[in-house]
Amino acid sequence: MADTPGIAFQILQSVFVVLAAPLLLGWANQCRAWLQNRSAPSILLPYRTLAKLFHKDAVIAKNASALFRLTPYVVFGCMWLAAGIVPVLATDLPFAPAADIIALVAVFALARVFSALAAMDIGTSFGGLGARREMLIGFLAEPAMLMTLFTAAFISGSTQFNTIVETLGNREFAIDPSLAFAAAAFLMVALAENARIPIDNPTTHLELTMIHEAMILEYSARHLALIEWAVAIKLFAYVSIGIALFAPWGIAEAGNWSALPLAFAALAVKLTLAGAGLALVETLLAKLRLFLAPEFLSTAFLLAVLGMLTHFLTQG
Amino acid sequence: MDFLPSPLSGALAAAVSWLVIALASLAPGRNALVVRRLAFPLGALAGLALAAFGLQAMWLPAAQMTLPLGLPDLPFHLRIDPLAGFFLMLLGAVSAGVCVYAAGYFRDESGERLTLIGLQYHVFLASMAFVIVADDAYLFMVAWETMALSSYFLVTTDHKLPAVRGAGFLYLLVAHLGAIAILLCFGVMSGGQGDYTFDALRAAELKPLWATVAFLLAFFGFGAKAGMIPLHAWLPEAHPAAPSPVSALMSGIMIKTAIYGMVRVIYDLIGGVRWEWGVLVLAIGAATTLFGVLYALMQHDLKRLLAYHSVENIGIILLGLGASMVFLGFGHSAAGALGLIAALYHTLNHAVFKGLLFLGAGSILHATGLRNLNDMGGLIHKMPKTAFYFLIGALAISALPPLNGFVSEWLTFQAALQAPLLANGVVRSVLPLFAATLALAGALTAMCFVKVYGIAFLGQPREPRHAPQPKAPAAGRDAGTLEQYGMAWLAAGCFVLGLFPTSFLLMLNRVATSLTGKGLSRAALESNWLWLIPSSSVQASYSPGIFLIVIVAVTLLTFLLVRRFYHGRVRYADPWDCGYPGQTPRMQDTADAFGQPIRHVFGPVYLMKRHLPGPDDPAPKFTLKIEDRHWYWLYLPLARLTNYVSSKIALLQQGRISIYLLYSFLTLIALLVFVR
């Protein structure tokens, strides 16, 4: 199971995801600026922000506990781990059998629980508010996400990401109604999980509306940098999950170095489209009131369930 | 290994030694120190021995024994098989940790109370062991009732408080309703043969109708003890009323004996599981899971909150059992075994982490005298060790990898994902919906424990609302050494069960094989210590060991890289006050505020009585009361009905001897007419 080229692929992919993640964020921000008739920042701006933050002195509240300082590393570690599970460039990654799609969702949950705990550590009212809202979005999004993934799991008869992607990638091109439902549900969940419009606004600091930003208000310098970077990796991972489930064509098999350039090219095209699509969604939609979020996400959940039922119906 | 006693006699010896310790607690003239220093540690040793014998029994064929005790011609029968061995292991291992903790916890009790606690506590433990090894309905019911009574006395340890007496009465009532159902179930199973040994019950062939009646009686009878909806109302009252180690035993182990009873009766004694039963178990399991966690989210009393989570976890266990019964009913033995294994694994896991959490709550109670979360805050600074163990328990119950809660929920998901095997289209599409319930409950549990941990341990200390602080025996101190050992033992259990699931999977496969005849698929048995494979390696696999290594490695690597390339400079400052300097710690989120989004989303689930002050209210006061709806549609009508019926029956009672003589006369006439 664990041969040398496979492990090399594994390490290559996880490092690649970690390094390339801010680029996707920069591209999405750039597209959004263009769509909104603003002059766009450089696509490399997220890297510069990270570098700036890493060089600053960290300011930590006096009553912070060890948990507060540990959390950024745990969150970053979780996202790095997720980047190792999701097939981005290649399927058949040697690490992937260690954690299937259920474990992947649990990894995101682990990161969320730690961020929420850290937000409550200082004891400001904003921290608690952010933690509460984040957990609200989390418990609504998680079942919908699992149902989406289960639909794919039922189609391929496996909860392992490798097998799912291989099954979906190697079959004839056809629009499967259950996958169409699942894709719609996944899109909604992905927007919510990544704190994007219409659920949250990553650029706001208005107390009435912010969710994720309220949680990380007390963080600064290298801790903030790690969290921001983790946010970028999470977005990249979600986009990759979407690509892997709903547009897996062109992905290489681990150890097959000759397929790698094609996989890179395919990924670049798909990511470019995905980033532009994200900017478009964020420009066209307005942010929902917080208490409309349950409706939004339960719609996603229902779509996912419909997808699953459709699968059972069409399979007879 | 001839020099070792057989598992059955070993287990019997351990249980009897608990009884001896119980009696010995009374002996030394009410000396608290002896009970604390001797009785509880010895009880822990007996627990360890019991766990070892249980473990051994899981690998051996079933063994039987008859004790020359009991009524004439009705001796006690004992039997140990893999299922009993598993539950003995659970009982022994968890009680060992709780006993060590109790030795430290009761340090401020008076001698008189402590001798009584020592007696009841060890009788309670021994009766649970006898419930598990009983092999006839008679011994089973005797042990079952002893268990109910001893735990009743433990619940009412603080009997001077009216609320505690009320909780105890409710507990006794529901326990006996359950016991009646179980008794009737044994009667139905024996089919009028009059032989109540389990061998005879096993051999009896029941008609499908009677088998279903027996199933329903067993399910609801044991369900009352397990705390499933709608028979759960006693649990959040009784478990918090007891002293914390006893709460840990009740939530951790006692409600699991009900699961044992369910599995024993339904799988073993009745046999021939039907899928319709499974659907009922699934439906009730899903309701229990959701109601349990939703009500837990509304609590601000830490121990009540934990008790509601026990209700939720019983629901999760029932989901696994239900899935297993559905698969077995349709003849898919491997998937059925997987569901059963998931349920039993969760039983063990819940015993470990819920025990740990109740012990943590006990240490908080000792150090602060508080049970209300809204008065706590910042305990991580005063009680770092308790905070550490509680965090492990909180992460485990939230089903986060690589701890144990995740493994059993993962197995339950995997069981539900075997749905495509089923031929019945409706059941096939409904089964994954129960998995969705589980996913929702898991995420809600995570929210609830973020609330508990964030409000109790993190943040700033909230100054108490009420001026006189309740008396705290160990004011402001962290848990004592023995308490820490107890918690550390269970926390280690969370890791071992989370990191080496395959050994437990194979053990539980022995249990499943002994009950259903067939176990997991062959591919699943090729799981090694690193890889957990429930059905086949293509379908799913999980490796907690690799998972842990990778996540620790990348986290450490991140830390080292940041340190290597940048710096570790830190300045300490006051938290950012948003430009408003008048903030006080009371402005932090409270437990009730944290649950507010849930109240908003799941409003109809609760019975909410809320008073919102208007804008020109001279003395604005916000009140909120949340009650369990079950009280109003089930319990109170039942109570009224009982009162009504009793008042009608009381008409018979006139208090005049001539009337009573008339009754006797009429009875005699009636008998003469019928008997002739």
Side-chain angles (χ1 to χ4, degrees):
Chain A
M1 189 179 285
D3 46 353
T4 323
I7 291 176
F9 244 76
Q10 175 75 66
I11 294 173
L12 176 80
Q13 182 195 300
S14 16
V15 172
F16 165 75
V17 171
V18 168
L19 292 180
L23 196 65
L24 177 66
L25 203 60
W27 164 244
N29 286 341
Q30 205 172 30
C31 286
R32 191 165 54 170
W34 285 332
L35 282 169
Q36 294 169 353
N37 266 338
R38 291 184 280 127
S39 61
S42 154
I43 195 169
L44 298 177
L45 185 66
Y47 292 101
R48 290 194 198 128
T49 315
L50 289 181
K52 177 186 78 185
L53 286 173
F54 272 122
H55 280 102
K56 287 189 165 187
D57 283 11
V59 181
I60 290 182
K62 281 172 185 154
N63 61 340
S65 70
L67 192 73
F68 183 80
R69 300 180 65 166
L70 178 69
T71 296
Y73 298 100
V74 173
V75 171
F76 191 83
C78 284
M79 293 309 155
W80 198 343
L81 181 74
I85 305 173
V86 182
V88 176
L89 289 172
T91 64
D92 201 16
L93 299 166
F95 172 60
D100 65 350
I101 48 178
I102 305 172
L104 178 71
V105 173
V107 170
F108 288 128
L110 185 65
R112 174 165 41 236
V113 164
F114 267 94
S115 338
L117 285 178
M120 299 182 79
D121 187 43
I122 308 296
T124 58
S125 17
F126 264 130
L129 178 144
R132 176 186 346 148
R133 291 179 175 175
E134 173 82 6
M135 294 313 287
L136 169 76
I137 301 300
F139 88 73
L140 290 164
E142 218 172 90
M145 178 75 180
L146 269 179
M147 282 297 110
T148 313
L149 293 174
F150 282 172
T151 308
F154 278 128
I155 292 176
S156 53
S158 166
T159 60
Q160 277 181 38
F161 236 125
N162 292 337
T163 322
I164 293 178
V165 175
E166 270 165 25
T167 317
L168 295 180
N170 289 337
R171 53 187 207 149
E172 303 212 346
F173 181 80
I175 292 180
D176 190 326
S178 60
L179 272 187
F181 279 119
F186 177 81
L187 181 65
M188 296 167 86
V189 172
L191 289 174
E193 280 265 3
N194 286 290
R196 315 299 296 190
I197 287 175
I199 296 297
D200 192 5
N201 186 349
T203 54
T204 188
H205 282 100
L206 203 66
E207 61 266 32
L208 288 178
T209 61
M210 63 181 170
I211 301 174
H212 186 261
E213 290 299 314
M215 284 207 303
I216 59 173
L217 217 49
E218 282 296 325
Y219 276 114
S220 58
R222 59 177 184 276
H223 301 131
L224 184 61
L226 284 172
I227 288 182
E228 296 285 5
W229 201 343
V231 166
I233 300 174
K234 188 175 182 185
L235 181 68
F236 195 98
Y238 264 89
V239 172
S240 309
I241 295 172
I243 291 175
L245 291 185
F246 307 113
W249 307 287
I251 201 162
E253 291 191 5
N256 184 358
W257 296 95
S258 56
L260 196 56
L262 179 67
F264 255 119
L267 184 72
V269 173
K270 290 181 219 169
L271 285 180
T272 313
L273 290 176
L278 178 68
L280 191 65
V281 168
E282 291 206 293
T283 309
L284 290 179
L285 295 182
K287 192 189 164 303
L288 289 175
R289 230 156 30 90
L290 181 68
F291 281 115
L292 288 177
E295 277 178 34
F296 182 81
L297 286 167
S298 44
T299 311
F301 177 74
L302 282 182
L303 282 175
V305 169
L306 275 180
M308 206 169 62
L309 293 181
T310 319
H311 169 70
F312 281 128
L313 285 180
T314 49
Q315 297 300 303
Chain B
M1 292 208 287
D2 287 338
F3 56 92
L4 278 176
S6 79
L8 184 52
S9 39
L12 184 64
V16 169
S17 56
W18 269 334
L19 283 179
V20 172
I21 293 169
L23 291 178
S25 310
L26 284 178
R30 312 202 148 172
N31 187 341
L33 201 66
V34 177
V35 175
R36 232 176 51 221
R37 290 275 164 81
L38 217 56
F40 284 112
L42 283 177
L45 280 183
L48 281 184
L50 189 66
F53 289 121
L55 197 62
Q56 194 191 355
M58 290 170 78
W59 299 101
L60 295 176
Q64 281 176 313
M65 188 195 275
T66 309
L67 289 187
L69 288 171
L71 295 175
D73 291 337
L74 204 54
F76 287 152
H77 295 80
L78 305 181
R79 182 168 183 267
I80 198 166
D81 62 357
L83 177 68
F86 171 71
F87 276 89
L88 287 176
M89 183 189 78
L90 183 157
L91 166 65
V94 176
S95 66
V98 177
C99 286
V100 171
Y101 179 91
Y105 183 82
F106 288 121
R107 58 182 175 258
D108 298 301
E109 291 289 346
S110 69
E112 194 179 339
R113 262 166 65 108
L114 195 57
T115 46
L116 273 182
I117 292 178
L119 171 74
Q120 294 152 1
Y121 180 94
H122 290 100
V123 169
F124 181 42
L125 287 178
S127 61
M128 289 195 282
F130 278 111
V131 164
I132 296 168
V133 293
D135 194 35
D136 61 82
Y138 171 46
L139 175 59
F140 187 90
M141 288 313 296
V142 168
W144 187 260
E145 284 298 289
T146 315
M147 180 175 87
L149 285 179
S150 53
S151 53
Y152 165 75
F153 286 117
L154 284 168
V155 166
T156 51
T157 302
D158 292 314
H159 56 88
K160 287 180 182 148
L161 305 174
V164 170
R165 286 201 302 273
F169 175 70
L170 181 66
Y171 168 48
L172 206 58
L173 193 68
V174 179
H176 281 95
L177 285 178
I180 290 171
I182 297 167
L183 204 58
L184 288 175
C185 167
F186 284 132
V188 169
M189 278 193 296
S190 83
Q193 298 297 313
D195 187 352
Y196 287 95
T197 58
F198 282 178
D199 277 337
L201 300 183
R202 217 171 269 133
E205 286 288 326
L206 293 178
K207 293 201 176 78
L209 175 69
W210 285 110
T212 304
V213 169
F215 158 75
L216 287 175
L217 284 169
F219 183 52
F220 285 100
F222 287 114
K225 192 66 150 191
M228 75 186 192
I229 296 274
L231 305 170
H232 68 290
W234 62 276
L235 202 150
E237 306 294 328
H239 285 202
S244 298
V246 178
S247 314
L249 285 187
M250 290 179 75
S251 258
I253 308 173
M254 188 190 77
I255 58 174
K256 306 302 156 35
T257 60
I259 298 294
Y260 165 78
M262 261 184 217
V263 175
R264 171 67 77 203
V265 170
I266 296 171
Y267 283 78
D268 192 9
L269 301 187
I270 303 181
V273 175
R274 305 177 66 85
W275 65 266
E276 294 92 341
W277 304 351
V279 174
L280 176 71
V281 175
L282 277 174
I284 294 215
T288 306
T289 311
L290 276 186
F291 274 90
V293 69
L294 285 177
Y295 276 97
L297 272 160
M298 288 303 117
Q299 307 304 319
H300 48 242
D301 178 330
L302 179 53
K303 288 179 77 176
R304 266 182 84 92
L305 181 148
L306 292 176
Y308 267 115
H309 269 292
S310 296
V311 175
E312 182 226 345
N313 279 283
I314 286 294
I316 296 177
I317 295 168
L318 289 182
L319 284 176
L321 276 185
S324 150
M325 289 161 76
V326 166
F327 285 119
L328 285 178
F330 281 113
H332 298 287
S333 59
L338 180 60
L340 180 63
I341 287 171
L344 292 178
Y345 206 134
H346 198 73
T347 309
L348 180 58
N349 285 339
H350 179 247
V352 172
F353 57 62
K354 186 51 67 66
L356 173 60
L357 289 169
F358 262 117
L359 297 186
S363 292
I364 297 178
L365 189 62
H366 255 194
T368 62
L370 297 174
R371 271 168 57 174
N372 189 341
L373 285 170
N374 291 341
D375 295 335
M376 300 178 190
L379 290 178
I380 195 171
H381 301 290
K382 278 188 213 150
M383 321 176 63
K385 298 201 170 100
T386 311
F388 174 70
Y389 295 126
F390 201 93
L391 182 65
I392 293 174
L395 294 178
I397 196 174
S398 307
L400 294 173
L403 292 170
N404 59 351
F406 177 73
V407 178
S408 45
E409 291 202 10
W410 189 80
L411 286 172
T412 313
F413 278 128
Q414 292 298 344
L417 287 176
Q418 306 285 323
L421 288 175
L422 298 173
N424 184 322
V426 177
V427 181
R428 187 174 53 179
S429 8
V430 165
L431 199 55
L433 291 186
F434 291 112
T437 318
L438 181 58
L440 180 62
L444 284 168
T445 307
M447 177 168 191
C448 195
F449 276 88
V450 165
K451 161 182 135 175
V452 170
Y453 202 81
I455 287 175
F457 286 100
L458 305 176
Q460 302 167 30
R462 295 165 175 81
E463 64 264 41
R465 258 181 307 190
H466 317 294
Q469 271 271 53
K471 185 174 150 284
R477 271 181 288 139
D478 205 346
T481 323
L482 283 174
E483 294 181 23
Q484 281 176 33
Y485 287 153
M487 288 192 278
W489 170 253
L490 294 176
C494 289
F495 274 102
V496 171
L497 286 166
L499 290 179
F500 305 102
T502 312
S503 0
F504 294 94
L505 181 85
L506 296 181
M507 265 183 235
L508 286 169
N509 189 42
R510 299 252 332 153
V511 177
T513 314
S514 78
L515 287 176
T516 64
K518 288 184 192 140
L520 293 171
S521 62
R522 186 162 303 157
L525 301 180
E526 283 162 18
S527 307
N528 51 30
W529 64 275
L530 199 55
W531 296 94
L532 179 65
I533 298 165
S535 47
S536 79
S537 61
V538 184
Q539 279 194 357
S541 59
Y542 168 57
S543 170
I546 297 184
F547 187 94
L548 179 72
I549 292 170
V550 170
I551 199 156
V552 168
V554 290
T555 306
L556 267 182
L557 188 65
T558 315
F559 182 75
L560 293 176
L561 284 178
V562 170
R563 276 299 159 93
R564 170 74 185 77
F565 287 108
Y566 301 101
H567 55 85
R569 289 197 298 270
V570 164
R571 280 190 289 126
Y572 291 95
D574 288 323
W576 186 53
D577 57 11
C578 312
Y580 176 66
Q583 290 197 39
T584 71
R586 284 226 76 87
M587 292 180 184
Q588 296 172 85
D589 250 14
T590 60
D592 297 315
F594 206 88
Q596 188 263 346
I598 304 288
R599 285 204 295 278
H600 202 102
V601 178
F602 294 98
V605 176
Y606 307 106
L607 192 64
M608 241 187 305
K609 288 176 187 156
R610 192 163 49 170
H611 172 69
L612 290 171
D616 42 27
D617 209 332
K621 201 164 168 63
F622 170 79
T623 57
L624 172 71
K625 199 169 171 215
I626 288 176
E627 286 179 284
D628 201 329
R629 275 189 188 281
H630 294 87
W631 276 109
Y632 291 90
W633 71 262
L634 182 66
Y635 287 82
L636 293 182
L638 266 183
R640 276 199 295 274
L641 181 70
T642 315
N643 274 337
Y644 176 76
V645 171
S646 332
S647 69
K648 291 297 164 210
I649 291 178
L651 290 179
L652 287 173
Q653 212 168 15
Q654 297 292 340
R656 294 171 66 177
I657 198 139
S658 51
I659 305 260
Y660 292 144
L661 284 175
L662 181 69
Y663 291 157
S664 313
F665 181 67
L666 290 177
T667 314
L668 207 60
I669 299 281
L671 282 176
L672 280 174
V673 167
F674 281 108
V675 177
R676 257 198 288 219

